[in-house]
Amino acid sequence: EVYRGSCWAVAAGTAMELHAMIKAKKAVTPTSFEQLVDCAPNPKDCGGTGGCSGATVQLAFEYITKYGLVAENAYTDGYRVRG
């Protein structure tokens, strides 16, 4: 993994993509794990302190359920761009 501490977001995004692929029976657009790193709250510091400092897949799924998850190419102002 290139972005240390974001494995929870990569795992959640990949799970969502795989679910969509199984349902659609075809390839789908990659989702933005970066959105999860930037936006998913971690108020109780579960698995870390949030963002690239760690969180959990469950927190990511809670965020996705509430706000959705955009395509990787649609999320253009994330932490990788800002540095």
Side-chain angles (χ1 to χ4, degrees):
E1 176 188 329
V2 176
Y3 305 99
R4 264 191 110 115
S6 60
C7 59
W8 61 275
V10 174
T14 301
M16 296 301 295
E17 290 170 18
L18 291 173
H19 178 76
M21 286 162 77
I22 290 168
K23 188 172 182 177
K25 297 181 180 167
K26 63 179 182 176
V28 297
T29 304
T31 58
S32 176
F33 73 85
E34 190 174 3
Q35 177 187 357
L36 295 172
V37 171
D38 285 343
C39 303
N42 189 2
K44 296 183 181 177
D45 294 341
C46 297
T49 57
C52 285
S53 296
T56 66
V57 172
Q58 181 180 352
L59 291 169
F61 288 152
E62 289 173 9
Y63 174 85
I64 293 166
T65 299
K66 190 170 185 178
Y67 300 105
L69 189 59
V70 300
E72 182 178 49
N73 62 1
Y75 195 77
T76 58
D77 188 35
Y79 73 94
R80 293 189 291 175
V81 173
R82 291 189 309 268

